Amino acid sequence: MINLKKRNKLKILNDPIYGFITIPNELIFDLIEHKYFQRLRRISQMGLSYLVYPGAHHTRFHHALGCMYLMQKTVRVLRFKGIDISEEEEEALYIAILLHDIGHGPFSHAMEHSIVNEVNHEAISLMFMEEINEDFNGSLTLAIQIFKGEYHRNFLHQLISGQLDMDRLDYLKRDSFYTGVAEGNINSERLITMLTVINDELVVEEKGIYSVEKFLLARRLMYWQVYLHKTSLVAENLLIRVLKRAKELSQAGVQLNASASLTFFLKNKITPDNFTPAVLETFSRLDDYDIVAAMKEWMASEDFVLSKLSSMIIDRDLLKIKIKKKPFQEKKKENLIEKFKGHYKISGEEARYFIFEGTISNQAYHQNKQNINILYKSNKIVDIVKATDQFNLKALSKPVTKYFMCYPKHKH
């Protein structure tokens, strides 16, 4: 007799980019069903970028499934080329890539710089994996080893976390699709077809060299045009300041309206030492909705800083931003602070929430970190920067730093 329940777990999902994605086995299905993974449906992949690109509302759930689809393709390609990947390793790769971003909080980078600022999302991802591993009787153990880079076959880790990993191959294509920024549209499937493994290291066959060039160029353009877009930058910095101010007020005993999970993180100082399973459970209940709902409440706060910052984001009436290649003069910032202080009758400390500087940097390729190597027909292996006749790539491997200053729009 056919077990209908069993058949039902091999679902097919429709993805706007790749078409149908097949869930490979029951364990993966059960992982996707897990509440910690389902939470990713409520966490936007690109934070507040939708304030610039209205279509950028896709979630980390979308992205994780896309990464798994690309990993399935990669396993097929590598096996076809005679690379031995056991069934256990295959399953572990799917699990590791599916869960690689599970530790992201709402508007993740803003969270990391404000209310959970001592624990990064990679560490939280690992904690989630360990926790889920207990629920699944240890069946994630190999995936965790590969994720941490502790498994003896290095190329498996490179597929999860390297300069040409499934994460990047999916997010560039997906983010470019949802923002409508065509420059980021890479041919991830062609890149995968060009992959092979030599001496346990991932390499790209010589005929894939132009696809790699396009990939690195797309990465650079997406960073300047999308991820570091000046309006997104202002919005993210405002959000960091909203959360910092809320935390400051909460710790000083001010009662703020917020969900129970958000209130917990506002009232408590969270460090790697006290990030217990109970704290993880509370963290798992946080998503974008907690933050947006809280800001809507805080717009009516008696605290000038909190209400003004929250209104700026909710009403999209953001600060102005200037970006330069050289640092700003301190005097300019101090003058702006004095004017703002006088106009609103607030302290210098409060005014600094609205007038501040920062730096952004972009390096599309790190030459000294898990290189992208090209395999020539002669079996010679050469780093992409040396292999290419594209002068731009040398430039892409140098970090570019720019300086920004944010300040209120109105002349006071």
Side-chain angles (χ1 to χ4, degrees):
M1 192 179 140
I2 297 170
N3 180 343
L4 288 175
K5 191 166 190 292
K6 186 170 178 180
R7 277 186 53 199
N8 196 26
K9 288 193 172 182
L10 302 179
K11 295 270 189 204
I12 290 175
L13 301 157
N14 200 344
D15 182 76
I17 294 170
Y18 309 122
F20 291 110
I21 296 178
T22 312
I23 295 178
N25 62 38
E26 292 194 21
L27 172 61
I28 301 288
F29 177 86
D30 291 336
L31 280 174
I32 292 170
E33 288 280 273
H34 196 283
K35 61 178 182 177
Y36 290 162
F37 190 79
Q38 287 292 319
R39 156 185 167 273
L40 297 179
R41 290 182 184 271
R42 302 186 301 278
I43 292 188
S44 139
Q45 173 71 15
M46 290 179 62
L48 288 163
S49 293
Y50 60 80
L51 292 176
V52 183
Y53 298 101
H57 274 290
H58 55 303
T59 65
R60 294 199 176 271
F61 182 85
H62 255 127
H63 163 62
L65 291 170
C67 291
M68 184 190 71
Y69 168 82
L70 292 179
M71 190 66 88
Q72 288 171 295
K73 225 176 164 47
T74 305
V75 169
R76 280 199 297 275
V77 165
L78 294 179
R79 278 186 178 154
F80 180 73
K81 292 181 183 179
I83 314 303
D84 181 42
I85 297 172
S86 70
E87 281 185 18
E88 290 76 24
E89 287 168 338
E90 176 186 9
E91 184 175 78
L93 279 174
Y94 298 157
I95 294 170
I97 199 66
L98 198 60
L99 304 182
H100 77 282
D101 264 354
I102 199 165
H104 272 290
F107 304 109
S108 64
H109 302 294
M111 285 282 289
E112 280 179 45
H113 290 107
S114 53
I115 60 176
V116 190
N117 56 344
E118 289 188 37
V119 193
N120 63 21
H121 70 265
E122 290 88 356
I124 300 174
S125 288
L126 207 49
M127 285 185 239
F128 272 130
M129 285 187 197
E130 307 273 10
E131 203 66 23
I132 297 170
N133 198 22
E134 285 189 23
D135 294 353
F136 283 81
N137 305 322
S139 43
L140 278 66
T141 306
L142 181 56
I144 292 171
Q145 268 186 312
I146 293 172
F147 180 78
K148 287 161 86 170
E150 290 172 358
Y151 188 61
H152 64 89
R153 305 186 76 187
N154 189 41
F155 79 91
L156 297 176
H157 176 68
Q158 288 175 317
L159 291 170
I160 307 289
S161 176
Q163 295 210 62
L164 198 57
D165 58 26
M166 299 304 116
D167 177 32
R168 290 181 182 186
L169 290 184
D170 182 79
Y171 78 62
L172 284 173
K173 198 169 176 60
R174 190 167 298 278
D175 295 350
S176 114
F177 176 89
Y178 281 96
T179 53
V181 175
E183 287 83 350
N185 188 10
I186 53 164
N187 192 343
S188 36
E189 312 211 15
R190 162 138 175 112
L191 274 163
I192 287 171
T193 311
M194 297 295 134
L195 291 177
T196 189
V197 176
I198 300 283
N199 302 331
D200 201 32
E201 296 287 323
L202 211 53
V203 292
V204 180
E205 291 167 0
E206 184 182 352
K207 55 187 179 217
I209 194 164
Y210 300 116
S211 302
V212 175
E213 285 181 5
K214 168 80 167 61
F215 163 77
L216 291 174
L217 204 53
R219 191 168 140 76
R220 176 176 174 266
L221 293 171
M222 284 295 281
Y223 266 85
W224 287 128
Q225 218 172 322
V226 178
Y227 307 128
L228 297 174
H229 185 288
K230 61 192 185 80
T231 309
S232 304
L233 201 60
V234 175
E236 184 164 304
N237 272 282
L238 282 172
L239 182 55
I240 289 170
R241 282 161 177 76
V242 165
L243 294 171
K244 272 189 172 161
R245 183 61 171 181
K247 185 154 189 152
E248 220 171 82
L249 294 168
S250 295
Q251 296 191 335
V254 178
Q255 285 300 316
L256 294 177
N257 282 341
S259 69
S261 350
L262 181 53
T263 302
F264 173 82
F265 285 98
L266 292 175
K267 285 190 168 168
N268 296 288
K269 186 173 163 57
I270 304 298
T271 66
D273 297 334
N274 66 10
F275 209 107
T276 59
V279 171
L280 187 70
E281 181 59 39
T282 308
F283 181 86
S284 78
R285 289 198 292 272
L286 269 184
D287 54 50
D288 291 7
Y289 298 101
D290 295 75
I291 308 290
V292 174
M295 287 193 292
K296 284 165 69 179
E297 290 287 321
W298 298 342
M299 284 166 77
S301 166
E302 285 174 12
D303 180 71
F304 170 80
V305 175
L306 188 63
S307 75
K308 186 112 178 106
L309 290 172
S310 300
S311 306
M312 282 179 164
I313 297 176
I314 296 292
D315 299 337
R316 199 192 179 281
D317 182 14
L318 307 169
L319 295 170
K320 268 181 104 65
I321 182 169
K322 267 209 170 72
I323 299 181
K324 294 198 325 184
K325 288 183 179 158
K326 290 192 176 136
F328 289 84
Q329 290 178 333
E330 190 60 27
K331 196 165 175 253
K332 184 171 182 191
K333 186 172 86 175
E334 291 307 322
N335 286 346
L336 285 166
I337 287 173
E338 282 307 311
K339 275 187 190 167
F340 194 71
K341 231 169 81 173
H343 186 271
Y344 283 108
K345 312 278 183 289
I346 55 172
S347 70
E349 193 192 333
E350 289 170 316
R352 282 173 203 278
Y353 273 97
F354 301 89
I355 296 145
F356 51 86
E357 295 170 274
T359 58
I360 43 174
S361 67
N362 177 10
Q363 185 173 359
Y365 180 63
H366 295 261
Q367 248 182 302
N368 52 4
K369 195 173 114 193
Q370 287 196 2
N371 306 31
I372 297 177
N373 287 321
I374 303 297
L375 171 70
Y376 283 99
K377 288 196 177 67
S378 63
N379 281 339
K380 198 165 76 167
I381 292 175
V382 179
D383 181 277
I384 180 68
V385 172
K386 296 196 177 76
T388 178
D389 51 9
Q390 169 74 302
F391 176 69
N392 279 358
L393 283 203
K394 285 194 179 54
L396 288 187
S397 60
K398 292 190 174 64
V400 178
T401 300
K402 294 183 184 180
Y403 300 84
F404 69 85
M405 181 155 80
C406 296
Y407 53 94
K409 283 179 181 165
H410 315 292
K411 290 260 184 285
H412 296 306

